Amino acid sequence: MIDPKYLLSDEQMRDYIANGYLVLDTSLPAALHEEIYRRTSEVLEKEGNPGNNILPRVPQLRQVFEDPSLRGALTSVLGPDYIMHSHRHCHVNRGGSDGGGTHKDSYWGFNRLPRNHRTRWAMLFYYPQDVTIANGPTGVVPGSQNYMAKESWETAGEAEPCLGAAGTAVLVHFDLWHRAFPNHTDDTRFMMKFQFTRMSEPAAPTWRSERRDWPGGNGLGNRHDAMWRSAWSWHRGEPFEAPAAGGGAEAIDRLRGGDLEERLDAATALGGPGASAAGVAALRDALRDEAEPVRLNAGYGLGAAGEDAVDALVDALDDEAEAAGLNAAYGLAAAGGAAEPALIEACGAASDSSRGYAAFALGEMGAGPDAVEAVAGLAGDSSELVRRNAADALGTMRGRPEAAVPALQELLADEDAQVRFDAAYALARRGPEAAPATEALVAALDDGNRYVRNHSVEALQRIGTPRAREALYDFLTISRWCPITNRDSTF
């Protein structure tokens, strides 16, 4: 049990939700960071970059991620049962480098999945040496985590450097756009990137919560007010609440013909409880706006309107403009229970996009038992998009393991690696109730994709039966790593 003083405050949670990152300090001694830097330099010089094996090659890193300040931050955004993901990497910015381009990370080669706006994945960037503007810090684009396109954040600002003394760590939303700045020194700058994932849906705040309503403030304005409020409510384990709709005909005119900022404000004003039919129609049209930030506000504005906007959102799932369907799915997830019956029906729609986005939205909202059977029925769907989204969704939906687990077991043997990847992780999230899939998970320990194997390890660990533990011990005995073996010392 972590001391509550290490959990994030309401204001820090607000900043994380809106900006997508927080700079944190560790309380570890300088000598530890120096040893990590020295050991990392030695490993890279003798062996090259160990990639995912950076933790066993530099085992002192374990102390960093056990630091109470970092554990408290991760608990706050991912819940107390979060786990460290098997992908980790040492990023090397050598002296004299030009830095790198601004990018959003992929899921290890898999980008064919709608991104989770709700925090199920997070990263920590850790620096074992001082990081200054001179030696090539990581730059992050505040508030960019929910934008798919680079052009969407360029109007809002450039990357900002993350600076600090040795031991500084940055908590980052997995989808935040970021880059390496040029290193103008002669020294190498290391950044250790570790990833962590949520294993259960939030039922109550897991930070030092002192207020129920969205705090606002801190210069954030209301650029994506409905989206931020939706995330805040979800992290609290509560239904999405938004201010009542307003704006009228003037806002509709601005949404249809104003500049970017006017359209953003109008979409926010028109969405919410009590939205008019004309406002809903205008927001439905705005799901096809040329600017992604406007499309996002339109989707979340319709989600905030609840039942009155569900039909418009479901209609947009099959829009010929792909971006309209994606943002409609985000809106339906925000609408929550009001949208669940329509989404269950959409799981049987003729179009691949309707079925796929319906499964995604049900998973994103963590829908209950009535929806599980509909999504489980998509396990044999002809569309890879649908099967991928179904596999992912069945890990966050609640109840009906007798339907979910056999479907995930089928998906774990899918021909598509990303489907198997998502199915294995969904079984891990299901925990002990995934026990009937034990033998399928044991077989998946030999999968050709390293993350299917690693997710299967997590699933067996969380299942925890004698058979699961036996298979896990056998696998780990064969694959265990010796942290002091290298090419100069082989035995």
Side-chain angles (χ1 to χ4, degrees):
M1 187 72 177
I2 193 161
D3 190 324
K5 71 181 182 181
Y6 293 111
L7 300 175
L8 298 181
S9 66
D10 283 333
E11 291 71 26
Q12 287 175 306
M13 277 297 293
R14 170 203 60 200
D15 291 350
Y16 172 80
I17 287 171
N19 292 327
Y21 77 103
L22 290 171
V23 179
L24 306 167
D25 294 321
T26 58
S27 57
L28 298 166
L32 174 66
H33 307 306
E34 292 169 1
E35 173 61 15
I36 290 173
Y37 187 93
R38 184 200 66 76
R39 174 67 176 152
T40 302
S41 299
E42 180 182 88
V43 168
L44 266 69
E45 179 182 352
K46 292 183 176 181
E47 306 169 26
N49 197 316
N52 288 343
N53 290 323
I54 186 64
L55 183 57
R57 297 306 288 123
V58 188
Q60 296 89 341
L61 284 166
R62 184 176 180 84
Q63 297 179 56
V64 173
F65 298 108
E66 287 299 318
D67 180 82
S69 295
L70 302 191
R71 288 179 54 229
L74 288 166
T75 297
S76 296
V77 301
L78 294 173
D81 59 346
Y82 72 85
I83 64 171
M84 178 186 286
H85 194 270
S86 60
H87 175 69
R88 58 288 295 257
H89 195 77
C90 174
H91 286 264
V92 182
N93 195 356
R94 300 193 184 279
S97 81
D98 294 329
T102 311
H103 63 282
K104 180 190 288 273
D105 284 2
S106 78
Y107 289 93
W108 314 283
F110 299 137
N111 273 329
R112 300 165 295 169
L113 194 72
R115 302 287 180 133
N116 295 122
H117 288 177
R118 295 168 172 181
T119 307
R120 295 192 175 93
W121 298 76
M123 300 187 284
L124 277 175
F125 299 161
Y126 158 71
Y127 301 93
Q129 75 288 293
D130 294 350
V131 59
T132 68
I133 193 62
N135 70 349
T138 307
V140 297
V141 182
S144 64
Q145 65 272 20
N146 296 324
Y147 296 151
M148 294 295 291
K150 180 179 179 182
E151 295 78 12
S152 299
W153 54 259
E154 285 182 321
T155 58
E158 292 296 323
E160 296 182 359
C162 296
L163 311 176
T168 294
V170 187
L171 175 66
V172 182
H173 189 290
F174 182 83
D175 289 325
L176 194 73
W177 288 78
H178 57 282
R179 59 167 294 202
F181 274 70
N183 186 345
H184 299 295
T185 73
D186 295 329
D187 298 321
T188 298
R189 185 275 285 161
F190 294 134
M191 181 269 276
M192 310 294 184
K193 182 178 73 177
F194 279 63
Q195 299 180 359
F196 303 84
T197 62
R198 172 181 288 278
M199 298 307 288
S200 60
E201 299 295 275
T206 54
W207 66 95
R208 281 185 288 112
S209 173
E210 297 180 356
R211 58 184 299 171
R212 182 172 180 269
D213 57 310
W214 167 247
N218 199 25
L220 296 173
N222 66 344
R223 182 177 179 84
H224 290 302
D225 188 71
M227 183 168 65
W228 297 336
R229 289 176 183 271
S230 174
W232 177 263
S233 297
W234 179 79
H235 273 284
R236 292 185 56 82
E238 297 174 349
F240 175 30
E241 294 183 0
E250 181 184 354
I252 291 173
D253 289 342
R254 284 188 285 117
L255 181 58
R256 288 177 168 158
D259 62 23
L260 175 62
E261 296 303 322
E262 289 173 331
R263 300 199 311 279
L264 284 168
D265 290 343
T268 297
L270 290 166
S276 67
V280 168
L283 289 168
R284 166 64 179 88
D285 292 342
L287 290 171
R288 306 185 71 182
D289 194 281
E290 64 180 6
E292 183 181 11
V294 177
R295 298 195 298 269
L296 279 169
N297 278 9
Y300 278 94
L302 289 165
E307 187 175 358
D308 292 337
V310 167
D311 288 346
L313 286 165
V314 171
D315 173 71
L317 293 178
D318 189 34
D319 196 288
E320 62 182 15
E322 183 178 357
L326 174 59
N327 287 286
Y330 290 130
L332 287 160
E340 189 171 321
L343 285 168
I344 292 173
E345 184 177 352
C347 286
S351 76
D352 294 352
S353 60
S354 290
R355 298 193 309 280
Y357 284 138
F360 166 76
L362 288 166
E364 188 77 343
M365 72 170 67
D370 291 344
V372 170
E373 187 168 358
V375 175
L378 299 174
D381 199 277
S382 60
S383 165
E384 290 179 1
L385 166 72
V386 176
R387 299 198 307 278
R388 288 194 299 266
N389 288 359
D392 193 56
L394 288 171
T396 56
M397 299 171 75
R398 305 184 308 279
R400 294 298 306 275
E402 71 279 7
V405 174
L408 287 168
Q409 185 170 332
E410 178 181 351
L411 292 162
L412 188 58
D414 197 273
E415 63 182 8
D416 181 77
Q418 186 174 347
V419 174
R420 302 196 305 276
F421 168 103
D422 289 319
Y425 219 49
L427 287 165
R429 286 187 166 123
R430 285 272 170 174
E433 68 185 28
T438 296
E439 295 307 321
L441 288 163
V442 172
L445 296 176
D446 290 325
D447 195 280
N449 181 284
R450 73 192 69 191
Y451 297 110
V452 176
R453 295 158 67 107
N454 295 343
H455 292 173
S456 297
V457 167
E458 296 291 353
L460 290 167
Q461 182 178 9
R462 288 172 61 81
I463 288 170
T465 61
R467 170 58 181 143
R469 289 197 296 269
E470 177 188 22
L472 188 59
Y473 294 152
D474 288 346
F475 173 78
L476 294 177
T477 298
I478 294 170
S479 60
R480 65 184 173 187
W481 186 280
C482 176
I484 59 175
T485 297
N486 57 55
R487 67 186 182 187
D488 296 325
S489 176
T490 57
F491 58 89

